[in-house]
Amino acid sequence: MALRALDNTLPAAVSERPKKSAKLSTPTVTAVAASPWEGGKKRNDENAVPKAKSTSPAAVEQAVEYVRSEDLQPVAGPKARAAGLVAEIDSKDWVKVCEALNDARRLAIHHPALLTPILEKMVLAMVKTMKNPRSAVLKTSVMACTDVFNAFGNLISSASADAFDKLLLQLLLKASQDKRFVAEEAEKAMRAMATSMPPLPLLKKLKSYVHHANLRVRAKAAVAMAHCAARMDIETMKEFGLSALLQVSAELLNDRLPEAREAARSIVSSTHSAFCKEAAAKEKEKEKEKEQQEEGESAVAAAWESLCALSLSPISALAVAKIVSQSQPQ
């Protein structure tokens, strides 16, 4: 076996690699400032101080002011303004639309006779503005509804059933939305509607919204119905139908929103109060002695229980009876 020779000598000195010298870059100073425009394109310089944009007077004038009804002044030249009012409300310029809506409010307050011939067209134009996505137009149009209801409460439903139905739907939708500054104005407009319009035709219109798919719409309709029921006497309630009124209340007592349930309780209380007043008036005419009057009060209670039993299911009748017992003075 051949043996390999062992070389115990040190290896030859390895030549060291030359070290790289550090490269030092000298900053170049340009005598001419760099232009923000290079090759016809604007260069984005993050170190440059942004220049303040000047606000034009036209942009400042576009701020819309929400004027209260009591602060609105009469229109200069009301006849000419009323003649072109519908076209102005239908304008594509939202600033002009807001100005026209405020003029409609002024005319409704100070010159209502000039709006009577164009009431239907004006209501339809207002309905269109209530669908506008711009908040300023939306709120101004809802504010205009309040003044129109106060001025034409007895005429607006009879002027055009189709126009009023569309207006009522938009008010219910706007009162149910999340924008509080719009919803509050819509609720105010609905209160003006409930207090200025005849309660019976309005109650018939609102009845169909009790079964609306939107919970908030149902609740707002129930509140308006409660306002109507509070203004109705027993004869008007009978014309609508006492059984129908109790049935609507019983349905709303099971609603998911507390606002609708509270409105249902108010409707039951108003119906019971009107029913007892009529029955008590009849009994007082017939009976004058105290014992006979007590018997008459028991007869009123029996008549009310009979009406509830005929109109409602047993569970709903018990719920209505509970509301009546809580509303009576102890």
Side-chain angles (χ1 to χ4, degrees), residues 105-163:
R105 298 174 61 198
R106 294 186 180 95
L107 290 170
I109 295 172
H110 300 287
H111 312 280
L114 296 176
L115 294 182
T116 304
I118 61 171
L119 184 59
E120 179 181 356
K121 294 181 179 179
M122 185 183 69
V123 170
L124 289 174
M126 289 169 57
V127 170
K128 184 177 179 181
T129 60
M130 292 177 72
K131 301 177 183 179
N132 195 300
R134 192 176 290 274
S135 299
V137 178
L138 180 55
K139 182 174 180 177
T140 309
S141 63
V142 175
M143 295 175 71
C145 290
T146 303
D147 296 321
V148 170
F149 279 127
N150 290 330
F152 303 100
N154 295 326
L155 298 177
I156 193 167
S157 60
S158 59
S160 173
D162 181 62

Tab-separated table of all heavy atoms in Angstrom, residues 105-163:
chain	number	residue	atom	x	y	z
A	105	ARG	N	-92.789	78.335	-0.386
A	105	ARG	CA	-93.161	78.499	1.025
A	105	ARG	C	-93.695	79.907	1.288
A	105	ARG	O	-94.689	80.079	2.002
A	105	ARG	CB	-91.950	78.217	1.910
A	105	ARG	CG	-91.410	76.798	1.799
A	105	ARG	CD	-90.132	76.641	2.603
A	105	ARG	NE	-90.362	76.892	4.015
A	105	ARG	CZ	-89.410	77.169	4.896
A	105	ARG	NH1	-88.142	77.259	4.488
A	105	ARG	NH2	-89.699	77.367	6.166
A	106	ARG	N	-93.021	80.911	0.716
A	106	ARG	CA	-93.475	82.296	0.915
A	106	ARG	C	-94.854	82.509	0.312
A	106	ARG	O	-95.713	83.163	0.918
A	106	ARG	CB	-92.460	83.261	0.288
A	106	ARG	CG	-91.100	83.265	0.966
A	106	ARG	CD	-90.212	84.344	0.364
A	106	ARG	NE	-88.895	84.375	0.984
A	106	ARG	CZ	-87.823	83.752	0.513
A	106	ARG	NH1	-87.906	83.053	-0.615
A	106	ARG	NH2	-86.664	83.819	1.153
A	107	LEU	N	-95.055	81.970	-0.877
A	107	LEU	CA	-96.361	82.121	-1.524
A	107	LEU	C	-97.444	81.388	-0.739
A	107	LEU	O	-98.578	81.874	-0.625
A	107	LEU	CB	-96.290	81.594	-2.952
A	107	LEU	CG	-95.458	82.422	-3.936
A	107	LEU	CD1	-95.266	81.670	-5.251
A	107	LEU	CD2	-96.110	83.778	-4.196
A	108	ALA	N	-97.128	80.214	-0.200
A	108	ALA	CA	-98.129	79.457	0.572
A	108	ALA	C	-98.520	80.190	1.843
A	108	ALA	O	-99.672	80.119	2.287
A	108	ALA	CB	-97.584	78.067	0.902
A	109	ILE	N	-97.577	80.926	2.425
A	109	ILE	CA	-97.864	81.635	3.678
A	109	ILE	C	-98.553	82.964	3.417
A	109	ILE	O	-99.551	83.299	4.071
A	109	ILE	CB	-96.553	81.845	4.464
A	109	ILE	CG1	-95.980	80.489	4.904
A	109	ILE	CG2	-96.789	82.731	5.682
A	109	ILE	CD1	-94.596	80.585	5.523
A	110	HIS	N	-98.054	83.732	2.458
A	110	HIS	CA	-98.532	85.108	2.262
A	110	HIS	C	-99.487	85.258	1.072
A	110	HIS	O	-100.277	86.201	1.063
A	110	HIS	CB	-97.328	86.039	2.067
A	110	HIS	CG	-96.384	86.057	3.231
A	110	HIS	ND1	-96.668	86.667	4.431
A	110	HIS	CD2	-95.140	85.511	3.371
A	110	HIS	CE1	-95.652	86.517	5.270
A	110	HIS	NE2	-94.708	85.818	4.649
A	111	HIS	N	-99.401	84.383	0.076
A	111	HIS	CA	-100.263	84.511	-1.113
A	111	HIS	C	-100.825	83.137	-1.508
A	111	HIS	O	-100.580	82.651	-2.616
A	111	HIS	CB	-99.479	85.107	-2.288
A	111	HIS	CG	-98.690	86.333	-1.936
A	111	HIS	ND1	-99.267	87.588	-1.837
A	111	HIS	CD2	-97.366	86.488	-1.644
A	111	HIS	CE1	-98.326	88.469	-1.506
A	111	HIS	NE2	-97.165	87.823	-1.390
A	112	PRO	N	-101.563	82.456	-0.633
A	112	PRO	CA	-102.010	81.083	-0.944
A	112	PRO	C	-102.959	81.011	-2.138
A	112	PRO	O	-103.005	79.986	-2.829
A	112	PRO	CB	-102.709	80.642	0.350
A	112	PRO	CG	-103.094	81.911	1.032
A	112	PRO	CD	-102.043	82.898	0.687
A	113	ALA	N	-103.715	82.076	-2.397
A	113	ALA	CA	-104.668	82.038	-3.507
A	113	ALA	C	-103.961	81.888	-4.858
A	113	ALA	O	-104.548	81.330	-5.799
A	113	ALA	CB	-105.525	83.306	-3.504
A	114	LEU	N	-102.724	82.365	-4.960
A	114	LEU	CA	-102.007	82.264	-6.235
A	114	LEU	C	-101.536	80.837	-6.518
A	114	LEU	O	-101.267	80.497	-7.680
A	114	LEU	CB	-100.796	83.208	-6.224
A	114	LEU	CG	-101.110	84.708	-6.121
A	114	LEU	CD1	-99.824	85.515	-6.031
A	114	LEU	CD2	-101.934	85.161	-7.319
A	115	LEU	N	-101.417	80.011	-5.490
A	115	LEU	CA	-100.954	78.636	-5.683
A	115	LEU	C	-102.096	77.644	-5.895
A	115	LEU	O	-101.838	76.512	-6.299
A	115	LEU	CB	-100.129	78.185	-4.469
A	115	LEU	CG	-98.802	78.898	-4.236
A	115	LEU	CD1	-98.098	78.296	-3.034
A	115	LEU	CD2	-97.907	78.811	-5.468
A	116	THR	N	-103.306	78.046	-5.614
A	116	THR	CA	-104.444	77.109	-5.751
A	116	THR	C	-104.587	76.552	-7.161
A	116	THR	O	-104.782	75.340	-7.328
A	116	THR	CB	-105.737	77.806	-5.308
A	116	THR	OG1	-105.577	78.301	-3.967
A	116	THR	CG2	-106.906	76.837	-5.349
A	117	PRO	N	-104.472	77.369	-8.238
A	117	PRO	CA	-104.621	76.790	-9.592
A	117	PRO	C	-103.506	75.822	-9.970
A	117	PRO	O	-103.709	74.947	-10.812
A	117	PRO	CB	-104.627	78.026	-10.514
A	117	PRO	CG	-104.938	79.187	-9.626
A	117	PRO	CD	-104.350	78.838	-8.307
A	118	ILE	N	-102.322	75.970	-9.378
A	118	ILE	CA	-101.179	75.120	-9.761
A	118	ILE	C	-100.811	74.149	-8.636
A	118	ILE	O	-99.698	73.620	-8.618
A	118	ILE	CB	-99.952	75.985	-10.126
A	118	ILE	CG1	-99.525	76.835	-8.931
A	118	ILE	CG2	-100.239	76.849	-11.333
A	118	ILE	CD1	-98.194	77.551	-9.134
A	119	LEU	N	-101.743	73.897	-7.721
A	119	LEU	CA	-101.423	73.102	-6.543
A	119	LEU	C	-101.001	71.684	-6.911
A	119	LEU	O	-100.008	71.167	-6.394
A	119	LEU	CB	-102.633	73.067	-5.600
A	119	LEU	CG	-102.426	72.357	-4.269
A	119	LEU	CD1	-101.294	73.002	-3.476
A	119	LEU	CD2	-103.719	72.377	-3.448
A	120	GLU	N	-101.713	71.048	-7.829
A	120	GLU	CA	-101.376	69.670	-8.196
A	120	GLU	C	-100.005	69.587	-8.855
A	120	GLU	O	-99.179	68.722	-8.503
A	120	GLU	CB	-102.441	69.118	-9.145
A	120	GLU	CG	-102.167	67.692	-9.604
A	120	GLU	CD	-103.225	67.173	-10.554
A	120	GLU	OE1	-104.215	67.906	-10.797
A	120	GLU	OE2	-103.062	66.058	-11.062
A	121	LYS	N	-99.723	70.486	-9.807
A	121	LYS	CA	-98.424	70.469	-10.479
A	121	LYS	C	-97.300	70.770	-9.498
A	121	LYS	O	-96.207	70.185	-9.579
A	121	LYS	CB	-98.422	71.485	-11.624
A	121	LYS	CG	-99.385	71.144	-12.756
A	121	LYS	CD	-99.311	72.186	-13.855
A	121	LYS	CE	-100.251	71.841	-15.001
A	121	LYS	NZ	-100.201	72.869	-16.072
A	122	MET	N	-97.558	71.679	-8.567
A	122	MET	CA	-96.527	72.026	-7.604
A	122	MET	C	-96.227	70.842	-6.667
A	122	MET	O	-95.066	70.573	-6.341
A	122	MET	CB	-96.962	73.243	-6.786
A	122	MET	CG	-95.887	73.756	-5.834
A	122	MET	SD	-96.450	75.138	-4.824
A	122	MET	CE	-97.635	74.298	-3.764
A	123	VAL	N	-97.272	70.119	-6.252
A	123	VAL	CA	-97.066	68.962	-5.378
A	123	VAL	C	-96.258	67.891	-6.099
A	123	VAL	O	-95.336	67.281	-5.528
A	123	VAL	CB	-98.417	68.418	-4.894
A	123	VAL	CG1	-98.236	67.075	-4.190
A	123	VAL	CG2	-99.083	69.407	-3.948
A	124	LEU	N	-96.564	67.643	-7.359
A	124	LEU	CA	-95.807	66.640	-8.122
A	124	LEU	C	-94.348	67.065	-8.294
A	124	LEU	O	-93.435	66.222	-8.236
A	124	LEU	CB	-96.455	66.434	-9.484
A	124	LEU	CG	-97.815	65.710	-9.479
A	124	LEU	CD1	-98.427	65.703	-10.866
A	124	LEU	CD2	-97.661	64.286	-8.953
A	125	ALA	N	-94.118	68.370	-8.490
A	125	ALA	CA	-92.739	68.854	-8.598
A	125	ALA	C	-92.008	68.711	-7.266
A	125	ALA	O	-90.815	68.373	-7.226
A	125	ALA	CB	-92.732	70.312	-9.051
A	126	MET	N	-92.713	68.935	-6.170
A	126	MET	CA	-92.108	68.768	-4.851
A	126	MET	C	-91.758	67.306	-4.575
A	126	MET	O	-90.736	67.000	-3.956
A	126	MET	CB	-93.044	69.318	-3.778
A	126	MET	CG	-93.168	70.831	-3.776
A	126	MET	SD	-94.508	71.435	-2.721
A	126	MET	CE	-94.058	70.716	-1.150
A	127	VAL	N	-92.616	66.405	-5.025
A	127	VAL	CA	-92.337	64.972	-4.860
A	127	VAL	C	-91.043	64.598	-5.578
A	127	VAL	O	-90.226	63.820	-5.072
A	127	VAL	CB	-93.516	64.133	-5.378
A	127	VAL	CG1	-93.147	62.657	-5.449
A	127	VAL	CG2	-94.737	64.326	-4.486
A	128	LYS	N	-90.830	65.177	-6.749
A	128	LYS	CA	-89.606	64.904	-7.504
A	128	LYS	C	-88.376	65.405	-6.756
A	128	LYS	O	-87.333	64.727	-6.723
A	128	LYS	CB	-89.698	65.555	-8.878
A	128	LYS	CG	-88.519	65.243	-9.786
A	128	LYS	CD	-88.712	65.860	-11.159
A	128	LYS	CE	-87.513	65.565	-12.058
A	128	LYS	NZ	-87.682	66.180	-13.404
A	129	THR	N	-88.467	66.580	-6.140
A	129	THR	CA	-87.318	67.110	-5.399
A	129	THR	C	-87.044	66.293	-4.142
A	129	THR	O	-85.897	66.234	-3.677
A	129	THR	CB	-87.563	68.569	-5.009
A	129	THR	OG1	-88.743	68.659	-4.182
A	129	THR	CG2	-87.757	69.434	-6.238
A	130	MET	N	-88.055	65.650	-3.593
A	130	MET	CA	-87.852	64.837	-2.387
A	130	MET	C	-87.077	63.555	-2.686
A	130	MET	O	-86.623	62.870	-1.767
A	130	MET	CB	-89.195	64.498	-1.745
A	130	MET	CG	-89.906	65.710	-1.164
A	130	MET	SD	-91.524	65.324	-0.481
A	130	MET	CE	-91.048	64.426	0.990
A	131	LYS	N	-86.915	63.227	-3.962
A	131	LYS	CA	-86.096	62.086	-4.360
A	131	LYS	C	-84.668	62.502	-4.709
A	131	LYS	O	-83.860	61.656	-5.089
A	131	LYS	CB	-86.728	61.387	-5.565
A	131	LYS	CG	-88.141	60.870	-5.313
A	131	LYS	CD	-88.731	60.259	-6.570
A	131	LYS	CE	-90.163	59.809	-6.354
A	131	LYS	NZ	-90.763	59.236	-7.590
A	132	ASN	N	-84.370	63.792	-4.592
A	132	ASN	CA	-83.040	64.297	-4.924
A	132	ASN	C	-82.027	63.819	-3.885
A	132	ASN	O	-82.281	63.890	-2.684
A	132	ASN	CB	-83.068	65.837	-4.966
A	132	ASN	CG	-81.848	66.415	-5.637
A	132	ASN	OD1	-80.722	66.210	-5.215
A	132	ASN	ND2	-82.079	67.172	-6.710
A	133	PRO	N	-80.870	63.314	-4.308
A	133	PRO	CA	-79.884	62.833	-3.330
A	133	PRO	C	-79.187	63.937	-2.551
A	133	PRO	O	-78.568	63.666	-1.521
A	133	PRO	CB	-78.883	62.061	-4.203
A	133	PRO	CG	-78.987	62.692	-5.559
A	133	PRO	CD	-80.425	63.090	-5.705
A	134	ARG	N	-79.284	65.183	-3.012
A	134	ARG	CA	-78.614	66.278	-2.313
A	134	ARG	C	-79.417	66.653	-1.067
A	134	ARG	O	-80.615	66.919	-1.127
A	134	ARG	CB	-78.467	67.486	-3.241
A	134	ARG	CG	-77.542	68.560	-2.686
A	134	ARG	CD	-77.370	69.673	-3.691
A	134	ARG	NE	-76.600	69.231	-4.839
A	134	ARG	CZ	-75.279	69.230	-4.906
A	134	ARG	NH1	-74.578	69.664	-3.868
A	134	ARG	NH2	-74.660	68.818	-5.982
A	135	SER	N	-78.756	66.695	0.056
A	135	SER	CA	-79.440	66.901	1.335
A	135	SER	C	-80.101	68.272	1.427
A	135	SER	O	-81.173	68.404	2.016
A	135	SER	CB	-78.447	66.721	2.486
A	135	SER	OG	-77.901	65.423	2.486
A	136	ALA	N	-79.470	69.294	0.863
A	136	ALA	CA	-80.039	70.640	0.939
A	136	ALA	C	-81.379	70.713	0.222
A	136	ALA	O	-82.341	71.300	0.723
A	136	ALA	CB	-79.059	71.642	0.346
A	137	VAL	N	-81.453	70.105	-0.958
A	137	VAL	CA	-82.713	70.091	-1.712
A	137	VAL	C	-83.754	69.272	-0.965
A	137	VAL	O	-84.928	69.661	-0.867
A	137	VAL	CB	-82.485	69.519	-3.125
A	137	VAL	CG1	-83.788	69.452	-3.898
A	137	VAL	CG2	-81.478	70.379	-3.882
A	138	LEU	N	-83.340	68.155	-0.414
A	138	LEU	CA	-84.262	67.263	0.274
A	138	LEU	C	-84.884	67.939	1.490
A	138	LEU	O	-86.110	67.922	1.676
A	138	LEU	CB	-83.521	65.984	0.677
A	138	LEU	CG	-84.323	64.916	1.409
A	138	LEU	CD1	-85.550	64.516	0.610
A	138	LEU	CD2	-83.452	63.702	1.676
A	139	LYS	N	-84.051	68.547	2.323
A	139	LYS	CA	-84.578	69.186	3.529
A	139	LYS	C	-85.465	70.377	3.191
A	139	LYS	O	-86.510	70.584	3.818
A	139	LYS	CB	-83.431	69.617	4.431
A	139	LYS	CG	-83.909	70.241	5.741
A	139	LYS	CD	-82.773	70.519	6.684
A	139	LYS	CE	-83.284	71.145	7.977
A	139	LYS	NZ	-82.202	71.363	8.963
A	140	THR	N	-85.063	71.177	2.208
A	140	THR	CA	-85.874	72.333	1.824
A	140	THR	C	-87.230	71.906	1.290
A	140	THR	O	-88.250	72.546	1.565
A	140	THR	CB	-85.127	73.179	0.780
A	140	THR	OG1	-83.811	73.469	1.251
A	140	THR	CG2	-85.856	74.483	0.516
A	141	SER	N	-87.271	70.821	0.525
A	141	SER	CA	-88.550	70.343	-0.007
A	141	SER	C	-89.460	69.835	1.101
A	141	SER	O	-90.681	70.055	1.068
A	141	SER	CB	-88.308	69.234	-1.032
A	141	SER	OG	-87.681	68.109	-0.423
A	142	VAL	N	-88.904	69.181	2.112
A	142	VAL	CA	-89.716	68.709	3.238
A	142	VAL	C	-90.240	69.889	4.048
A	142	VAL	O	-91.389	69.887	4.509
A	142	VAL	CB	-88.895	67.745	4.117
A	142	VAL	CG1	-89.695	67.344	5.345
A	142	VAL	CG2	-88.515	66.503	3.332
A	143	MET	N	-89.406	70.916	4.220
A	143	MET	CA	-89.867	72.125	4.905
A	143	MET	C	-90.992	72.797	4.137
A	143	MET	O	-91.936	73.337	4.730
A	143	MET	CB	-88.699	73.089	5.096
A	143	MET	CG	-87.617	72.575	6.024
A	143	MET	SD	-86.174	73.673	6.124
A	143	MET	CE	-86.863	75.044	7.037
A	144	ALA	N	-90.912	72.739	2.799
A	144	ALA	CA	-91.995	73.306	1.984
A	144	ALA	C	-93.295	72.533	2.178
A	144	ALA	O	-94.385	73.123	2.145
A	144	ALA	CB	-91.587	73.308	0.511
A	145	CYS	N	-93.203	71.224	2.400
A	145	CYS	CA	-94.410	70.421	2.634
A	145	CYS	C	-95.162	70.900	3.869
A	145	CYS	O	-96.399	70.942	3.880
A	145	CYS	CB	-94.045	68.949	2.784
A	145	CYS	SG	-93.475	68.153	1.278
A	146	THR	N	-94.430	71.251	4.914
A	146	THR	CA	-95.077	71.723	6.144
A	146	THR	C	-95.901	72.969	5.880
A	146	THR	O	-97.064	73.070	6.313
A	146	THR	CB	-94.002	72.010	7.209
A	146	THR	OG1	-93.236	70.825	7.432
A	146	THR	CG2	-94.646	72.447	8.508
A	147	ASP	N	-95.336	73.934	5.165
A	147	ASP	CA	-96.060	75.176	4.888
A	147	ASP	C	-97.218	74.946	3.931
A	147	ASP	O	-98.266	75.595	4.053
A	147	ASP	CB	-95.090	76.211	4.313
A	147	ASP	CG	-94.006	76.599	5.311
A	147	ASP	OD1	-94.320	76.728	6.502
A	147	ASP	OD2	-92.844	76.752	4.892
A	148	VAL	N	-97.058	74.026	2.993
A	148	VAL	CA	-98.151	73.731	2.064
A	148	VAL	C	-99.300	73.058	2.793
A	148	VAL	O	-100.482	73.362	2.551
A	148	VAL	CB	-97.633	72.856	0.904
A	148	VAL	CG1	-98.783	72.323	0.066
A	148	VAL	CG2	-96.698	73.659	0.013
A	149	PHE	N	-99.002	72.145	3.712
A	149	PHE	CA	-100.064	71.506	4.495
A	149	PHE	C	-100.806	72.521	5.354
A	149	PHE	O	-102.039	72.476	5.459
A	149	PHE	CB	-99.488	70.393	5.376
A	149	PHE	CG	-99.257	69.108	4.646
A	149	PHE	CD1	-98.020	68.488	4.699
A	149	PHE	CD2	-100.264	68.511	3.908
A	149	PHE	CE1	-97.794	67.299	4.033
A	149	PHE	CE2	-100.044	67.318	3.228
A	149	PHE	CZ	-98.813	66.708	3.301
A	150	ASN	N	-100.077	73.416	5.981
A	150	ASN	CA	-100.724	74.426	6.819
A	150	ASN	C	-101.626	75.352	6.014
A	150	ASN	O	-102.636	75.845	6.534
A	150	ASN	CB	-99.660	75.244	7.556
A	150	ASN	CG	-98.953	74.439	8.632
A	150	ASN	OD1	-99.533	73.526	9.218
A	150	ASN	ND2	-97.705	74.769	8.900
A	151	ALA	N	-101.268	75.583	4.755
A	151	ALA	CA	-102.050	76.498	3.930
A	151	ALA	C	-103.186	75.799	3.184
A	151	ALA	O	-104.250	76.383	2.982
A	151	ALA	CB	-101.138	77.210	2.929
A	152	PHE	N	-102.963	74.549	2.765
A	152	PHE	CA	-103.934	73.862	1.901
A	152	PHE	C	-104.341	72.502	2.475
A	152	PHE	O	-104.553	71.554	1.743
A	152	PHE	CB	-103.343	73.648	0.504
A	152	PHE	CG	-102.892	74.903	-0.171
A	152	PHE	CD1	-101.549	75.252	-0.184
A	152	PHE	CD2	-103.799	75.762	-0.774
A	152	PHE	CE1	-101.117	76.414	-0.808
A	152	PHE	CE2	-103.382	76.922	-1.395
A	152	PHE	CZ	-102.039	77.256	-1.406
A	153	GLY	N	-104.457	72.402	3.796
A	153	GLY	CA	-104.800	71.129	4.401
A	153	GLY	C	-106.121	70.560	3.926
A	153	GLY	O	-106.263	69.352	3.737
A	154	ASN	N	-107.092	71.418	3.706
A	154	ASN	CA	-108.415	70.951	3.279
A	154	ASN	C	-108.501	70.680	1.784
A	154	ASN	O	-109.445	70.038	1.326
A	154	ASN	CB	-109.484	71.982	3.663
A	154	ASN	CG	-109.613	72.139	5.162
A	154	ASN	OD1	-109.446	71.176	5.907
A	154	ASN	ND2	-109.891	73.347	5.616
A	155	LEU	N	-107.525	71.168	1.025
A	155	LEU	CA	-107.607	71.062	-0.437
A	155	LEU	C	-106.619	70.070	-1.029
A	155	LEU	O	-106.853	69.554	-2.121
A	155	LEU	CB	-107.358	72.436	-1.078
A	155	LEU	CG	-108.346	73.554	-0.741
A	155	LEU	CD1	-107.889	74.851	-1.396
A	155	LEU	CD2	-109.748	73.190	-1.222
A	156	ILE	N	-105.525	69.805	-0.342
A	156	ILE	CA	-104.428	69.082	-0.976
A	156	ILE	C	-104.796	67.649	-1.321
A	156	ILE	O	-104.371	67.106	-2.332
A	156	ILE	CB	-103.174	69.135	-0.079
A	156	ILE	CG1	-101.950	68.664	-0.864
A	156	ILE	CG2	-103.369	68.316	1.186
A	156	ILE	CD1	-100.649	68.970	-0.170
A	157	SER	N	-105.631	66.998	-0.497
A	157	SER	CA	-106.007	65.614	-0.793
A	157	SER	C	-107.036	65.540	-1.903
A	157	SER	O	-107.077	64.566	-2.670
A	157	SER	CB	-106.555	64.928	0.460
A	157	SER	OG	-107.701	65.617	0.934
A	158	SER	N	-107.876	66.575	-1.999
A	158	SER	CA	-108.898	66.572	-3.041
A	158	SER	C	-108.390	67.140	-4.361
A	158	SER	O	-109.016	66.933	-5.403
A	158	SER	CB	-110.109	67.396	-2.576
A	158	SER	OG	-109.730	68.729	-2.276
A	159	ALA	N	-107.278	67.881	-4.338
A	159	ALA	CA	-106.749	68.446	-5.577
A	159	ALA	C	-106.334	67.344	-6.540
A	159	ALA	O	-106.641	67.380	-7.727
A	159	ALA	CB	-105.567	69.369	-5.282
A	160	SER	N	-105.632	66.349	-6.037
A	160	SER	CA	-105.210	65.220	-6.857
A	160	SER	C	-104.869	64.063	-5.934
A	160	SER	O	-103.937	64.169	-5.133
A	160	SER	CB	-104.003	65.586	-7.724
A	160	SER	OG	-103.519	64.435	-8.385
A	161	ALA	N	-105.637	62.989	-6.020
A	161	ALA	CA	-105.391	61.833	-5.161
A	161	ALA	C	-104.041	61.205	-5.483
A	161	ALA	O	-103.307	60.778	-4.574
A	161	ALA	CB	-106.510	60.808	-5.329
A	162	ASP	N	-103.678	61.171	-6.769
A	162	ASP	CA	-102.410	60.560	-7.160
A	162	ASP	C	-101.235	61.365	-6.629
A	162	ASP	O	-100.255	60.804	-6.108
A	162	ASP	CB	-102.342	60.457	-8.683
A	162	ASP	CG	-101.046	59.812	-9.156
A	162	ASP	OD1	-100.801	58.641	-8.807
A	162	ASP	OD2	-100.275	60.481	-9.859
A	163	ALA	N	-101.312	62.690	-6.739
A	163	ALA	CA	-100.223	63.538	-6.265
A	163	ALA	C	-100.079	63.417	-4.752
A	163	ALA	O	-98.951	63.327	-4.230
A	163	ALA	CB	-100.473	64.988	-6.657
